[in-house]
Amino acid sequence: MSATIALHAGSLEHAETASTREPAWVRVVLISIALTFFAVFLLLPLGTVFAEGLRKGWAAYVAALVNDDAWDAIKLTLITAAIAVPLNLVFGVAAAWSIAKFEFPGKRLLITFIDLPFSVSPVISGLIYVLLFGAQGWFGPWLQEHDIRIIFAVPGIVLATIFVTFPFVARELIPLMEAQGSEEEEAAVVLGASGWQVFWYTTLPNIKWGLLYGVILCNARAMGEFGAVSVVSGHIRGQTNTMPLYVEILYNEYNYAAAFAVASLLALLAIVTLALKTLVERQTRRQLQEIIEPSGE
Amino acid sequence: MSIAIRNISKQFGAFKALDDVSIDVPSGELVALLGPSGCGKTTLLRIIAGLDFADSGQIVLDGDDASARHVRERHVGFVFQHYALFRHMSIADNVAFGLRVKPRRERLAEADIKRRVKRLLELVQLDWLADRYPSQLSGGQRQRIALARALAVDPKVLLLDEPFGALDAKVRKELRRWLRQLHDEIHVTSVFVTHDQEEALEVSDRVVVINKGKVEQIGTPESVYDHPATPFVANFLGSVNLFHGRVEDGHLHVGNDALALGASEGSDGKAVAFVRPHEFDLVPGWDEQGALAARIVRVVSVGPSAQIELAHGDGKLIEVSLGRDAFRLLGLSEGDRVSLRPRHIRVFPTDALAA
């Protein structure tokens, strides 16, 4: 997962030279292996999702999506993303800002901890919240006293999602902001800009593509997260089912066509995300290129 | 507006960047902070601007202690080494930035801002670039835009960090002359940082030579060049030949040779002496008294002057620069014996070198 957002500072187009060119048969074999692998492990499953979803016909496909349970799952997924993504946008910008622009004790530690959600299993991410807020957890008795439900309810799902998607925006912005340095910000301050003006007129325009890229990835993960959400959800239909959880339930009930129909929605989301990502990635790379080698010299 | 730098010290961890630095910049002067890289000159400039804060000491702007004032309230113009133009804004918007971020009640009307931007771009002779973006400009153009942007807010003081550092030699020379002319026109008190002695000597009214966080000498370009106060200044300003020897009875003894010194030069004891390459007279043969006996090793005769490398005594190399025609008249070539008579020697006791 973290590999997908490792920053693409180097150019992707490596110039091929005679000295590094392999013989024709080596190239053919390598490319065939890569393409075969790609087809078997990526394209085939993706095709299967749509094929299975549509096996009982278009009407069954639509029926699987247009019913109360499915609609509740979609709604909950959207609500979760709508809360988690903006929060992580703010956290991410704040974290990246403080890391890239300031020196403070514990900075390395903070950078390491930002990656924590990537390095622990999502199941553990969910369990952390159960241990904190569950009936037997640290805050459990207090929450029960005040009749606040977090675990097996929507707040738990949102919390787990925020935790799991926390690194995306920050990870995207830190290298970008570090490469940009703070000279432009300093120039703005000397010219009399207030803190907010500095951020709005100099920092934000310089990071907007990187930020958008992080948000897209964050959103994709927020909608697709299964493990952490599964632990805190309780799988209550119509209440705490997100789309990935709903797919699992349908599948376990041997309702394959409906399961694949809902899954196909998530797959579509993935495809749209990829398309957006490619577009934005191009812009981000251009922005970074301008920092590294300003043109027009 | 005058700037007074009083007893400024700044430490980064164990590294003393500035050690009790005091400088006075009278109103309207153009002053160069000159020193090798890492000597603390940029740190000092940033402290004057308020981008960094000193551990102790005061920055007095126009008679008022500004040490605690925020950058925004200091009303300085700052030109960054790499220009720091806002890359997503057009050139006109860059120049207008300082005018547009003012609080509403102090802000000019948009039409006035436009007029002012146009005037500034004309001042730096780049009004035809108003709609371009920084990435479309050459280094020299960016530099001038950065200057126009800094001047837009009517700064009381203009601070420039290595203003010509990132430019190629030809552009650098042009801009240098241009900056001097601009300063003569607008007379804003200016301080610029440079490691290039030629730049400092050519552009500034006064030069402050800094080394290892300390001021070595302050003076006009002529005085620091002709009368260096310390061995460091002598060594740093222009190329120079360095001799180790002894001073005795008004003579400097270098190897087997003795050079006569002026009455005021040097006290007895171990000493280092500096002689610039163009301050030697050449006499063929080794018969001359009060001169260095040397042998020509190599002659590079390109451009208006001849650069001559000579070996003295046990093989120490001496560089001499002589008008090309004058050298030709001497009829000397590589391998010949020559006497070198310095016209001007600066002598410092050896212990001054360590300081």
PDB file of all heavy atoms in Angstrom, chain A residues 63-79 238 241-243 246 262 265:
ATOM      1  N   ALA A  63     -31.581  -4.853  -9.066  1.00  0.00           N
ATOM      2  CA  ALA A  63     -32.337  -5.174  -7.850  1.00  0.00           C
ATOM      3  C   ALA A  63     -31.401  -5.347  -6.663  1.00  0.00           C
ATOM      4  O   ALA A  63     -31.731  -4.968  -5.527  1.00  0.00           O
ATOM      5  CB  ALA A  63     -33.150  -6.450  -8.074  1.00  0.00           C
ATOM      6  N   ALA A  64     -30.214  -5.919  -6.912  1.00  0.00           N
ATOM      7  CA  ALA A  64     -29.263  -6.141  -5.825  1.00  0.00           C
ATOM      8  C   ALA A  64     -28.762  -4.818  -5.250  1.00  0.00           C
ATOM      9  O   ALA A  64     -28.390  -4.730  -4.080  1.00  0.00           O
ATOM     10  CB  ALA A  64     -28.095  -6.983  -6.332  1.00  0.00           C
ATOM     11  N   LEU A  65     -28.754  -3.796  -6.112  1.00  0.00           N
ATOM     12  CA  LEU A  65     -28.228  -2.497  -5.652  1.00  0.00           C
ATOM     13  C   LEU A  65     -29.324  -1.602  -5.096  1.00  0.00           C
ATOM     14  O   LEU A  65     -29.094  -0.800  -4.198  1.00  0.00           O
ATOM     15  CB  LEU A  65     -27.520  -1.785  -6.804  1.00  0.00           C
ATOM     16  CG  LEU A  65     -26.272  -2.489  -7.335  1.00  0.00           C
ATOM     17  CD1 LEU A  65     -25.682  -1.722  -8.490  1.00  0.00           C
ATOM     18  CD2 LEU A  65     -25.241  -2.671  -6.232  1.00  0.00           C
ATOM     19  N   VAL A  66     -30.512  -1.748  -5.687  1.00  0.00           N
ATOM     20  CA  VAL A  66     -31.599  -0.861  -5.253  1.00  0.00           C
ATOM     21  C   VAL A  66     -32.494  -1.597  -4.272  1.00  0.00           C
ATOM     22  O   VAL A  66     -33.519  -2.146  -4.616  1.00  0.00           O
ATOM     23  CB  VAL A  66     -32.429  -0.368  -6.458  1.00  0.00           C
ATOM     24  CG1 VAL A  66     -33.473   0.645  -6.008  1.00  0.00           C
ATOM     25  CG2 VAL A  66     -31.512   0.229  -7.506  1.00  0.00           C
ATOM     26  N   ASN A  67     -32.053  -1.656  -3.045  1.00  0.00           N
ATOM     27  CA  ASN A  67     -32.909  -2.144  -1.969  1.00  0.00           C
ATOM     28  C   ASN A  67     -32.440  -1.489  -0.697  1.00  0.00           C
ATOM     29  O   ASN A  67     -31.343  -0.900  -0.653  1.00  0.00           O
ATOM     30  CB  ASN A  67     -32.868  -3.669  -1.875  1.00  0.00           C
ATOM     31  CG  ASN A  67     -31.492  -4.176  -1.528  1.00  0.00           C
ATOM     32  OD1 ASN A  67     -30.979  -3.899  -0.445  1.00  0.00           O
ATOM     33  ND2 ASN A  67     -30.872  -4.886  -2.466  1.00  0.00           N
ATOM     34  N   ASP A  68     -33.211  -1.562   0.354  1.00  0.00           N
ATOM     35  CA  ASP A  68     -32.906  -0.796   1.565  1.00  0.00           C
ATOM     36  C   ASP A  68     -31.541  -1.130   2.165  1.00  0.00           C
ATOM     37  O   ASP A  68     -30.770  -0.236   2.517  1.00  0.00           O
ATOM     38  CB  ASP A  68     -33.999  -1.014   2.614  1.00  0.00           C
ATOM     39  CG  ASP A  68     -35.261  -0.228   2.268  1.00  0.00           C
ATOM     40  OD1 ASP A  68     -35.169   0.595   1.333  1.00  0.00           O
ATOM     41  OD2 ASP A  68     -36.303  -0.449   2.916  1.00  0.00           O
ATOM     42  N   ASP A  69     -31.255  -2.448   2.254  1.00  0.00           N
ATOM     43  CA  ASP A  69     -29.988  -2.838   2.881  1.00  0.00           C
ATOM     44  C   ASP A  69     -28.790  -2.306   2.102  1.00  0.00           C
ATOM     45  O   ASP A  69     -27.846  -1.780   2.676  1.00  0.00           O
ATOM     46  CB  ASP A  69     -29.912  -4.370   2.977  1.00  0.00           C
ATOM     47  CG  ASP A  69     -30.806  -4.869   4.118  1.00  0.00           C
ATOM     48  OD1 ASP A  69     -31.265  -4.007   4.907  1.00  0.00           O
ATOM     49  OD2 ASP A  69     -31.014  -6.086   4.192  1.00  0.00           O
ATOM     50  N   ALA A  70     -28.857  -2.491   0.777  1.00  0.00           N
ATOM     51  CA  ALA A  70     -27.753  -2.019  -0.054  1.00  0.00           C
ATOM     52  C   ALA A  70     -27.628  -0.514   0.056  1.00  0.00           C
ATOM     53  O   ALA A  70     -26.532   0.034   0.206  1.00  0.00           O
ATOM     54  CB  ALA A  70     -27.978  -2.426  -1.509  1.00  0.00           C
ATOM     55  N   TRP A  71     -28.748   0.145  -0.010  1.00  0.00           N
ATOM     56  CA  TRP A  71     -28.740   1.606   0.041  1.00  0.00           C
ATOM     57  C   TRP A  71     -28.177   2.117   1.366  1.00  0.00           C
ATOM     58  O   TRP A  71     -27.387   3.059   1.408  1.00  0.00           O
ATOM     59  CB  TRP A  71     -30.168   2.110  -0.203  1.00  0.00           C
ATOM     60  CG  TRP A  71     -30.244   3.602  -0.290  1.00  0.00           C
ATOM     61  CD1 TRP A  71     -31.054   4.422   0.416  1.00  0.00           C
ATOM     62  CD2 TRP A  71     -29.466   4.452  -1.141  1.00  0.00           C
ATOM     63  NE1 TRP A  71     -30.841   5.727   0.076  1.00  0.00           N
ATOM     64  CE2 TRP A  71     -29.860   5.768  -0.886  1.00  0.00           C
ATOM     65  CE3 TRP A  71     -28.470   4.206  -2.096  1.00  0.00           C
ATOM     66  CZ2 TRP A  71     -29.314   6.862  -1.536  1.00  0.00           C
ATOM     67  CZ3 TRP A  71     -27.908   5.300  -2.741  1.00  0.00           C
ATOM     68  CH2 TRP A  71     -28.327   6.595  -2.470  1.00  0.00           C
ATOM     69  N   ASP A  72     -28.562   1.435   2.485  1.00  0.00           N
ATOM     70  CA  ASP A  72     -28.017   1.829   3.791  1.00  0.00           C
ATOM     71  C   ASP A  72     -26.499   1.661   3.822  1.00  0.00           C
ATOM     72  O   ASP A  72     -25.781   2.489   4.382  1.00  0.00           O
ATOM     73  CB  ASP A  72     -28.652   0.983   4.901  1.00  0.00           C
ATOM     74  CG  ASP A  72     -30.061   1.483   5.231  1.00  0.00           C
ATOM     75  OD1 ASP A  72     -30.318   2.678   5.001  1.00  0.00           O
ATOM     76  OD2 ASP A  72     -30.879   0.671   5.702  1.00  0.00           O
ATOM     77  N   ALA A  73     -26.036   0.545   3.231  1.00  0.00           N
ATOM     78  CA  ALA A  73     -24.586   0.296   3.220  1.00  0.00           C
ATOM     79  C   ALA A  73     -23.866   1.382   2.429  1.00  0.00           C
ATOM     80  O   ALA A  73     -22.837   1.904   2.847  1.00  0.00           O
ATOM     81  CB  ALA A  73     -24.294  -1.087   2.623  1.00  0.00           C
ATOM     82  N   ILE A  74     -24.455   1.717   1.251  1.00  0.00           N
ATOM     83  CA  ILE A  74     -23.838   2.760   0.424  1.00  0.00           C
ATOM     84  C   ILE A  74     -23.811   4.079   1.187  1.00  0.00           C
ATOM     85  O   ILE A  74     -22.802   4.786   1.219  1.00  0.00           O
ATOM     86  CB  ILE A  74     -24.600   2.916  -0.909  1.00  0.00           C
ATOM     87  CG1 ILE A  74     -24.413   1.658  -1.765  1.00  0.00           C
ATOM     88  CG2 ILE A  74     -24.118   4.142  -1.673  1.00  0.00           C
ATOM     89  CD1 ILE A  74     -25.291   1.606  -2.992  1.00  0.00           C
ATOM     90  N   LYS A  75     -24.944   4.381   1.835  1.00  0.00           N
ATOM     91  CA  LYS A  75     -25.057   5.641   2.559  1.00  0.00           C
ATOM     92  C   LYS A  75     -24.016   5.715   3.681  1.00  0.00           C
ATOM     93  O   LYS A  75     -23.313   6.718   3.832  1.00  0.00           O
ATOM     94  CB  LYS A  75     -26.468   5.794   3.142  1.00  0.00           C
ATOM     95  CG  LYS A  75     -27.066   7.139   2.827  1.00  0.00           C
ATOM     96  CD  LYS A  75     -28.544   7.262   3.095  1.00  0.00           C
ATOM     97  CE  LYS A  75     -29.103   6.510   4.266  1.00  0.00           C
ATOM     98  NZ  LYS A  75     -30.580   6.560   4.294  1.00  0.00           N
ATOM     99  N   LEU A  76     -23.889   4.623   4.440  1.00  0.00           N
ATOM    100  CA  LEU A  76     -22.942   4.624   5.550  1.00  0.00           C
ATOM    101  C   LEU A  76     -21.511   4.790   5.036  1.00  0.00           C
ATOM    102  O   LEU A  76     -20.699   5.516   5.610  1.00  0.00           O
ATOM    103  CB  LEU A  76     -23.061   3.331   6.371  1.00  0.00           C
ATOM    104  CG  LEU A  76     -22.139   3.289   7.595  1.00  0.00           C
ATOM    105  CD1 LEU A  76     -22.440   4.451   8.531  1.00  0.00           C
ATOM    106  CD2 LEU A  76     -22.269   1.959   8.330  1.00  0.00           C
ATOM    107  N   THR A  77     -21.219   4.127   3.921  1.00  0.00           N
ATOM    108  CA  THR A  77     -19.883   4.251   3.334  1.00  0.00           C
ATOM    109  C   THR A  77     -19.596   5.696   2.954  1.00  0.00           C
ATOM    110  O   THR A  77     -18.520   6.227   3.232  1.00  0.00           O
ATOM    111  CB  THR A  77     -19.773   3.346   2.085  1.00  0.00           C
ATOM    112  OG1 THR A  77     -19.990   2.003   2.495  1.00  0.00           O
ATOM    113  CG2 THR A  77     -18.412   3.474   1.438  1.00  0.00           C
ATOM    114  N   LEU A  78     -20.600   6.323   2.338  1.00  0.00           N
ATOM    115  CA  LEU A  78     -20.405   7.713   1.916  1.00  0.00           C
ATOM    116  C   LEU A  78     -20.245   8.629   3.126  1.00  0.00           C
ATOM    117  O   LEU A  78     -19.373   9.509   3.143  1.00  0.00           O
ATOM    118  CB  LEU A  78     -21.595   8.181   1.058  1.00  0.00           C
ATOM    119  CG  LEU A  78     -21.684   7.525  -0.325  1.00  0.00           C
ATOM    120  CD1 LEU A  78     -22.930   8.016  -1.068  1.00  0.00           C
ATOM    121  CD2 LEU A  78     -20.434   7.810  -1.150  1.00  0.00           C
ATOM    122  N   ILE A  79     -21.068   8.417   4.148  1.00  0.00           N
ATOM    123  CA  ILE A  79     -20.981   9.259   5.356  1.00  0.00           C
ATOM    124  C   ILE A  79     -19.608   9.110   6.007  1.00  0.00           C
ATOM    125  O   ILE A  79     -18.949  10.084   6.362  1.00  0.00           O
ATOM    126  CB  ILE A  79     -22.091   8.885   6.359  1.00  0.00           C
ATOM    127  CG1 ILE A  79     -23.453   9.351   5.837  1.00  0.00           C
ATOM    128  CG2 ILE A  79     -21.812   9.493   7.737  1.00  0.00           C
ATOM    129  CD1 ILE A  79     -24.630   8.820   6.635  1.00  0.00           C
ATOM    130  N   GLY A 238     -28.332  -2.536   7.907  1.00  0.00           N
ATOM    131  CA  GLY A 238     -29.078  -1.285   7.887  1.00  0.00           C
ATOM    132  C   GLY A 238     -28.551  -0.272   8.881  1.00  0.00           C
ATOM    133  O   GLY A 238     -28.995   0.863   8.895  1.00  0.00           O
ATOM    134  N   ASN A 241     -23.412  -1.497   8.578  1.00  0.00           N
ATOM    135  CA  ASN A 241     -22.830  -2.187   7.440  1.00  0.00           C
ATOM    136  C   ASN A 241     -22.314  -1.196   6.403  1.00  0.00           C
ATOM    137  O   ASN A 241     -23.080  -0.422   5.841  1.00  0.00           O
ATOM    138  CB  ASN A 241     -23.876  -3.079   6.765  1.00  0.00           C
ATOM    139  CG  ASN A 241     -23.624  -4.528   7.079  1.00  0.00           C
ATOM    140  OD1 ASN A 241     -22.588  -4.883   7.634  1.00  0.00           O
ATOM    141  ND2 ASN A 241     -24.574  -5.360   6.716  1.00  0.00           N
ATOM    142  N   THR A 242     -21.026  -1.242   6.158  1.00  0.00           N
ATOM    143  CA  THR A 242     -20.520  -0.474   5.033  1.00  0.00           C
ATOM    144  C   THR A 242     -20.532  -1.385   3.811  1.00  0.00           C
ATOM    145  O   THR A 242     -20.820  -2.579   3.929  1.00  0.00           O
ATOM    146  CB  THR A 242     -19.080   0.009   5.293  1.00  0.00           C
ATOM    147  OG1 THR A 242     -18.259  -1.138   5.482  1.00  0.00           O
ATOM    148  CG2 THR A 242     -19.029   0.906   6.517  1.00  0.00           C
ATOM    149  N   MET A 243     -20.219  -0.850   2.672  1.00  0.00           N
ATOM    150  CA  MET A 243     -20.283  -1.672   1.455  1.00  0.00           C
ATOM    151  C   MET A 243     -19.400  -2.917   1.498  1.00  0.00           C
ATOM    152  O   MET A 243     -19.856  -4.013   1.185  1.00  0.00           O
ATOM    153  CB  MET A 243     -19.967  -0.825   0.221  1.00  0.00           C
ATOM    154  CG  MET A 243     -21.146   0.044  -0.197  1.00  0.00           C
ATOM    155  SD  MET A 243     -20.652   1.326  -1.336  1.00  0.00           S
ATOM    156  CE  MET A 243     -20.445   0.379  -2.827  1.00  0.00           C
ATOM    157  N   TYR A 246     -21.018  -5.396   3.691  1.00  0.00           N
ATOM    158  CA  TYR A 246     -22.258  -5.886   3.094  1.00  0.00           C
ATOM    159  C   TYR A 246     -21.964  -6.954   2.050  1.00  0.00           C
ATOM    160  O   TYR A 246     -22.673  -7.967   1.963  1.00  0.00           O
ATOM    161  CB  TYR A 246     -23.009  -4.698   2.478  1.00  0.00           C
ATOM    162  CG  TYR A 246     -24.381  -5.044   1.960  1.00  0.00           C
ATOM    163  CD1 TYR A 246     -25.338  -5.620   2.803  1.00  0.00           C
ATOM    164  CD2 TYR A 246     -24.735  -4.791   0.635  1.00  0.00           C
ATOM    165  CE1 TYR A 246     -26.599  -5.933   2.334  1.00  0.00           C
ATOM    166  CE2 TYR A 246     -25.989  -5.106   0.152  1.00  0.00           C
ATOM    167  CZ  TYR A 246     -26.922  -5.677   1.003  1.00  0.00           C
ATOM    168  OH  TYR A 246     -28.175  -5.992   0.548  1.00  0.00           O
ATOM    169  N   VAL A 262     -22.712  -5.630  -5.710  1.00  0.00           N
ATOM    170  CA  VAL A 262     -22.224  -4.568  -4.814  1.00  0.00           C
ATOM    171  C   VAL A 262     -20.708  -4.416  -4.963  1.00  0.00           C
ATOM    172  O   VAL A 262     -20.174  -3.294  -4.999  1.00  0.00           O
ATOM    173  CB  VAL A 262     -22.603  -4.873  -3.352  1.00  0.00           C
ATOM    174  CG1 VAL A 262     -22.059  -3.780  -2.431  1.00  0.00           C
ATOM    175  CG2 VAL A 262     -24.113  -4.974  -3.203  1.00  0.00           C
ATOM    176  N   LEU A 265     -19.617  -2.234  -7.714  1.00  0.00           N
ATOM    177  CA  LEU A 265     -19.634  -0.803  -7.418  1.00  0.00           C
ATOM    178  C   LEU A 265     -18.288  -0.358  -6.842  1.00  0.00           C
ATOM    179  O   LEU A 265     -17.727   0.664  -7.241  1.00  0.00           O
ATOM    180  CB  LEU A 265     -20.733  -0.482  -6.398  1.00  0.00           C
ATOM    181  CG  LEU A 265     -22.123  -0.105  -6.909  1.00  0.00           C
ATOM    182  CD1 LEU A 265     -22.944   0.439  -5.751  1.00  0.00           C
ATOM    183  CD2 LEU A 265     -22.025   0.932  -8.005  1.00  0.00           C
TER     184      LEU A 265
END
